[in-house]
Amino acid sequence: MIRKIGVLTSGGDSPGMNAAIRAVTKCALGNGIEVMGIKDGYRGLIENKIVPFDKSSVSDILSRGGTILGSARLPEFKEDATVVKACEILRANEIDALVVIGGDGSYRGAKALTDKGINCIGLPGTIDNDISGTDLTIGFDTALNTVVECVDKLRDTSSSHHRCSLVEVMGNHCGDLALYSGISCGAEIVITSETGYDEEEILDQLRYLDNLGKNHAIIVISEKICDVEGLAKKVSASTGFSGRATVLGHIQRGGSPTPNDRVLASRMGEKAVDLLVSGIGGHCVGTLNNEIVSLPINEALAMPKTSRKGLYRLFERLV
Ligand code: F6P
């Protein structure tokens, strides 16, 4: 039986993490389980930055972006000695189990703690939508909305000036933010790790669009693929469009979560508590076909990411 659980957020923050913290806290308290908020991810855990949570700790946070707990990346958590230290601190605080909200690095930490006897559940909190075992991650929908709002604005000014806007979006190595926003905004070109990067092909396509009489072009590019400023210069030099690069950056990580993210985070938070109450650890929570599911973290980490071939084909048909 568990009496006290901890909750922490880890890795890059994402809108909706607060909604998940709130759901975990309220569902646990409702089950008569004490809740401890762990500040600043695994780093705060090993530094014993742990505070008791009650209902008031999570009031007025549902609509707020970021994470009230703070987050951090802690590469040392891969080392056994760090995990052992974290277990000691959890036991000293009489914390029986833990909910970890973060990306795949955070999942690995949760699995390592579970292997040492502290049941942990992982919730997928990242704007990248790059976690297997779930159709959606907490924060992706909000980030997508932010990107779409920005690209729609860029389209207005691009059409006034016969420009090509090259918009770099986040996603780590996952192309979902670029692909989904490309479809949502009617971009002319989407470039991701899945499409590959062929500079001459891109410039040819822009010349073709210019010859067709288009007055603007939008290219959405995943981060970590090319130097967008350099590409914009080449666009200006060798096509009829004048190229302008915009790196959206961390603006994509902020903002009030969309209702979809709030509901998703709340459902996942509830599931995490239910799993811990039934004695399950080392699992992560996901949504598949709009059902909330759970599976062992190891299985999720080993699963190949769902292919987006159909969506890339759709994008091509809509250009
Ligand atoms: O994982 C979320 C994410 O925003 C990625 O999209 C991006 O590559 C990375 O984090 C940026 O990390 P940082 O905030 O540490 O610069």
Side-chain angles (χ1 to χ4, degrees), residues 152-165 214-218 241-242:
D152 285 347
K153 287 179 177 166
L154 286 167
R155 175 181 296 281
D156 293 342
T157 173
S158 300
S159 345
S160 309
H161 292 273
H162 197 75
R163 279 181 180 155
C164 168
S165 254
K214 285 211 73 134
N215 64 354
H216 69 264
I218 301 283
F241 293 105
S242 138

Side-chain angles (χ1 to χ4, degrees), residues 12-13 73 126-128 130 170-172 223-224 250 253:
D13 64 348
R73 301 186 197 275
T126 165
I127 64 162
D128 298 335
D130 61 347
M170 282 187 168
N172 200 8
E223 63 178 347
K224 303 179 184 177
H250 286 82
R253 289 244 296 265

Side-chain angles (χ1 to χ4, degrees), residues 66-139:
T67 158
I68 57 158
L69 284 172
S71 192
R73 301 186 197 275
L74 184 67
E76 300 94 286
F77 212 74
K78 288 192 191 106
E79 291 156 23
D80 193 59
T82 316
V83 179
V84 169
K85 182 165 184 200
C87 283
E88 282 165 10
I89 289 179
L90 287 166
R91 291 203 172 98
N93 284 279
E94 296 176 333
I95 295 174
D96 309 306
L98 188 66
V99 179
V100 174
I101 308 162
D104 50 9
S106 317
Y107 276 18
R108 284 192 190 92
K111 172 74 174 92
L113 286 170
T114 305
D115 289 345
K116 298 234 180 279
I118 309 268
N119 272 352
C120 294
I121 299 294
L123 300 189
T126 165
I127 64 162
D128 298 335
N129 212 34
D130 61 347
I131 301 185
S132 297
T134 185
D135 288 339
L136 284 171
T137 57
I138 298 166

Side-chain angles (χ1 to χ4, degrees), residues 36 66 91 142-143 155 168 178 180 214 221 230 237 260 271:
M36 304 298 276
R91 291 203 172 98
T142 308
R155 175 181 296 281
E168 183 185 287
Y180 282 64
K214 285 211 73 134
I221 310 181
N260 279 334
K271 180 76 174 180

Side-chain angles (χ1 to χ4, degrees), residues 155-231:
R155 175 181 296 281
D156 293 342
T157 173
S158 300
S159 345
S160 309
H161 292 273
H162 197 75
R163 279 181 180 155
C164 168
S165 254
L166 300 96
V167 191
E168 183 185 287
V169 301
M170 282 187 168
N172 200 8
H173 296 288
C174 173
D176 282 8
L177 259 183
L179 175 61
Y180 282 64
S181 57
I183 293 173
S184 308
C185 299
E188 278 65 35
I189 300 175
V190 161
I191 302 166
T192 68
S193 52
E194 289 102 301
T195 64
Y197 177 66
D198 181 333
E199 202 168 278
E200 265 321 301
E201 203 179 293
I202 295 164
L203 296 173
D204 276 348
Q205 173 74 358
L206 289 175
R207 286 183 206 112
Y208 168 78
L209 293 170
D210 184 36
N211 286 336
L212 281 185
K214 285 211 73 134
N215 64 354
H216 69 264
I218 301 283
I219 307 183
V220 185
I221 310 181
S222 291
E223 63 178 347
K224 303 179 184 177
I225 297 227
C226 73
D227 164 21
V228 279
E229 289 287 351
L231 183 58

